[in-house]
Amino acid sequence: MTATASENTGKKLIALTFDDGPSYYTQGLLDGLKERGAKATFFIVGSRVKAYDETIRRAYAEGHEIAQHTYDHPALTTKTDDQIRWQVNYTDELLDECLGMDMDYLLRPPYGDQNSRVLSVIGCPAVIWSIDSCDWVSLNQYSVRDTIVNQAFDGAIILVHDIHRTSIPGALMAVDILQDWGYEFVTVSELYRRRGVTMEDGVKYYSCKPNGTDYGAVEAPEICSRVVPGGCEVSIYGADGAEIYYSTDGSFPNQKYTSTVFISETTQFRAVAAFGLNRDRSPVTETTVEVKLLETPILRSAGGFFYLESLVEGMKIHYTTDGSVVSMKSPLYSDPIPWFTGTVQCFGTTDGGSSPVETHHVSESGNIFADISPDRWYFAEMDRAVSLGLLKGEGNNVYAPEEKLTRAAFATLLYRVAEAKGVDCELLQEQSPFTDLLPETWYSEAILWAAEREVLLGYPDGSVRPEEEITREQMCVMLCRLLKYIGQDLPEAEPEFTDANEISSWAYASVGSICATDLMHGNGNGTFAPMATATRAEATAVLLRLYEHLS
Ligand code: NI
């Protein structure tokens, strides 16, 4: 991807640098540089970072290099080693905090003042200059322009200060002229990187004259995606030797890219190729990767075969039956699969979209479960309840075993047991007496049946609140009422639990009777947890005991 060195040797490169800012004038300078496609380097004074944090972030986002100029601009040769370190490290911290990244910064010693001691202490490359615009002396835009233009040479580093009003138009006029003469304005790091010169800590740099090498500007990375099960896999390709950073939240790309990124929803990617995040970097590439998530295929069993079906037109279904992870390379479904006990994993694709992967477990009795794995404690019980017709899924083999039990779900379970045991299940009236019970819901019949037999009571306000979670003591009460309706004699017993005092008075006798009948149990640690809500799986276990009890 990188242009070879020989192709580019003709480019004249020059580095504009701005010291002592940012200031009130810097935003205007950034506008001018942006208009001209010119890059610059800002040697920022630490004490100004907080007041101009927005300006610094803008400069960085627009591809300029952020560098440092100590905290409060002392002549470093007059400072102790510790004082120098503090000046440099504290400014480094302030810039990191401002930009939200941990980065390295080039340093320019104030006044260009340094010696071998200073250079050994700063711990980074020291950038001096080869052309001084003398803008702070002239305070005249034409003088600034002429001073720069008259001394310009290929590889020069130009010193300007963005704290003087006249320096901004002066520098921009110089950019116009030098661009006409074929100069490309680059950051200091880009100047050295392109000419193959490695900048070293504690070394002074004044200019970087042409040496026959130009690696060229860093090209923007390419963002590619391909459909995989349940989403897309995104790959980012950048220039040889460059690091790639990306973001998915609209911020500046600052997450290091190391391998493909999986996404399951449409995502905006931004990426940059860089030789160090604060050094020479490419323009930002921005791409929205569309994810078209489709309905998962349905697994159905009939007549000794499994059928994989999809409502999505043109969907191709990949599947495995050996427990291995399904992928785009897995076999395509065409003919019914002979019945077996084990695992069917599948997903579907169309052009540009895919469904999530679904894993279906087939029990020995031939029931299919998409959300219950055979290693769960309740697998056998739920399997039995399904075989007995007491439990029906929510479609596509989903049973939601860990979901909290609602009044509607428990009423439905009781209704099915009653049905299976030949208990009278006829509805006396078709009209619902409840304000919040819609007809034609999966539970409306069961709730009406339970209400007519006073197994489930409505609330005084006329509601029956089918979606409300049901507590364990409420389960006991409903079980008692059902058994009484059937005409069963229930033993009277005290609930023998350490938290028996937490049982509501209206439920106390029911909890005692139901536990004495062995339909429900304590928690093993001597408690009953009357106010807890059971899961659908726990309720299924209770239901099977009721089924046995009624035999
Ligand atoms: Ni300065």
Side-chain angles (χ1 to χ4, degrees), residues 19-20 69 73 110-111 161:
D19 284 19
D20 299 358
H69 199 38
H73 210 274
Y111 317 104
H161 299 82

PDB file of all heavy atoms in Angstrom, residues 19-20 69 73 110-111 161, ligand 1:
ATOM      1  N   ASP A  19       4.442  28.003  18.267  1.00  0.00           N
ATOM      2  CA  ASP A  19       4.835  27.916  19.678  1.00  0.00           C
ATOM      3  C   ASP A  19       3.972  28.793  20.567  1.00  0.00           C
ATOM      4  O   ASP A  19       3.327  29.738  20.108  1.00  0.00           O
ATOM      5  CB  ASP A  19       6.287  28.396  19.845  1.00  0.00           C
ATOM      6  CG  ASP A  19       7.270  27.352  19.374  1.00  0.00           C
ATOM      7  OD1 ASP A  19       6.872  26.448  18.618  1.00  0.00           O
ATOM      8  OD2 ASP A  19       8.456  27.460  19.747  1.00  0.00           O
ATOM      9  N   ASP A  20       4.008  28.468  21.856  1.00  0.00           N
ATOM     10  CA  ASP A  20       3.516  29.303  22.964  1.00  0.00           C
ATOM     11  C   ASP A  20       1.983  29.339  23.095  1.00  0.00           C
ATOM     12  O   ASP A  20       1.474  29.919  24.039  1.00  0.00           O
ATOM     13  CB  ASP A  20       4.022  30.746  22.871  1.00  0.00           C
ATOM     14  CG  ASP A  20       5.542  30.836  22.937  1.00  0.00           C
ATOM     15  OD1 ASP A  20       6.181  29.772  23.098  1.00  0.00           O
ATOM     16  OD2 ASP A  20       6.088  31.945  22.811  1.00  0.00           O
ATOM     17  N   HIS A  69       5.843  22.343  24.901  1.00  0.00           N
ATOM     18  CA  HIS A  69       6.750  23.467  25.011  1.00  0.00           C
ATOM     19  C   HIS A  69       6.938  23.808  26.500  1.00  0.00           C
ATOM     20  O   HIS A  69       7.045  24.967  26.859  1.00  0.00           O
ATOM     21  CB  HIS A  69       6.117  24.653  24.243  1.00  0.00           C
ATOM     22  CG  HIS A  69       7.079  25.743  23.865  1.00  0.00           C
ATOM     23  ND1 HIS A  69       8.363  25.515  23.444  1.00  0.00           N
ATOM     24  CD2 HIS A  69       6.920  27.104  23.829  1.00  0.00           C
ATOM     25  CE1 HIS A  69       8.953  26.683  23.175  1.00  0.00           C
ATOM     26  NE2 HIS A  69       8.098  27.666  23.409  1.00  0.00           N
ATOM     27  N   HIS A  73       7.142  27.667  30.286  1.00  0.00           N
ATOM     28  CA  HIS A  73       8.088  28.355  29.418  1.00  0.00           C
ATOM     29  C   HIS A  73       9.370  28.861  30.095  1.00  0.00           C
ATOM     30  O   HIS A  73       9.820  29.981  29.830  1.00  0.00           O
ATOM     31  CB  HIS A  73       7.363  29.527  28.724  1.00  0.00           C
ATOM     32  CG  HIS A  73       7.918  29.849  27.358  1.00  0.00           C
ATOM     33  ND1 HIS A  73       8.993  30.694  27.170  1.00  0.00           N
ATOM     34  CD2 HIS A  73       7.551  29.427  26.125  1.00  0.00           C
ATOM     35  CE1 HIS A  73       9.256  30.794  25.881  1.00  0.00           C
ATOM     36  NE2 HIS A  73       8.394  30.036  25.215  1.00  0.00           N
ATOM     37  N   PRO A 110      11.888  25.993  25.388  1.00  0.00           N
ATOM     38  CA  PRO A 110      11.629  27.429  25.242  1.00  0.00           C
ATOM     39  C   PRO A 110      12.922  28.176  24.894  1.00  0.00           C
ATOM     40  O   PRO A 110      13.983  27.835  25.420  1.00  0.00           O
ATOM     41  CB  PRO A 110      11.113  27.831  26.622  1.00  0.00           C
ATOM     42  CG  PRO A 110      10.507  26.569  27.162  1.00  0.00           C
ATOM     43  CD  PRO A 110      11.359  25.454  26.633  1.00  0.00           C
ATOM     44  N   TYR A 111      12.814  29.147  24.023  1.00  0.00           N
ATOM     45  CA  TYR A 111      13.946  29.960  23.524  1.00  0.00           C
ATOM     46  C   TYR A 111      14.972  29.109  22.782  1.00  0.00           C
ATOM     47  O   TYR A 111      16.065  29.560  22.490  1.00  0.00           O
ATOM     48  CB  TYR A 111      14.657  30.706  24.675  1.00  0.00           C
ATOM     49  CG  TYR A 111      13.697  31.330  25.662  1.00  0.00           C
ATOM     50  CD1 TYR A 111      13.478  30.748  26.911  1.00  0.00           C
ATOM     51  CD2 TYR A 111      13.002  32.498  25.335  1.00  0.00           C
ATOM     52  CE1 TYR A 111      12.585  31.295  27.805  1.00  0.00           C
ATOM     53  CE2 TYR A 111      12.096  33.055  26.235  1.00  0.00           C
ATOM     54  CZ  TYR A 111      11.881  32.440  27.470  1.00  0.00           C
ATOM     55  OH  TYR A 111      10.994  32.984  28.364  1.00  0.00           O
ATOM     56  N   HIS A 161       4.669  31.931  16.037  1.00  0.00           N
ATOM     57  CA  HIS A 161       3.953  31.893  17.318  1.00  0.00           C
ATOM     58  C   HIS A 161       2.485  32.202  17.050  1.00  0.00           C
ATOM     59  O   HIS A 161       2.175  33.248  16.475  1.00  0.00           O
ATOM     60  CB  HIS A 161       4.538  32.922  18.298  1.00  0.00           C
ATOM     61  CG  HIS A 161       5.977  32.673  18.601  1.00  0.00           C
ATOM     62  ND1 HIS A 161       7.000  33.096  17.769  1.00  0.00           N
ATOM     63  CD2 HIS A 161       6.569  32.013  19.630  1.00  0.00           C
ATOM     64  CE1 HIS A 161       8.158  32.713  18.282  1.00  0.00           C
ATOM     65  NE2 HIS A 161       7.924  32.052  19.413  1.00  0.00           N
TER      66      HIS A 161
HETATM   67 NI    NI B   1       8.406  29.823  23.128  1.00  0.00          NI
END
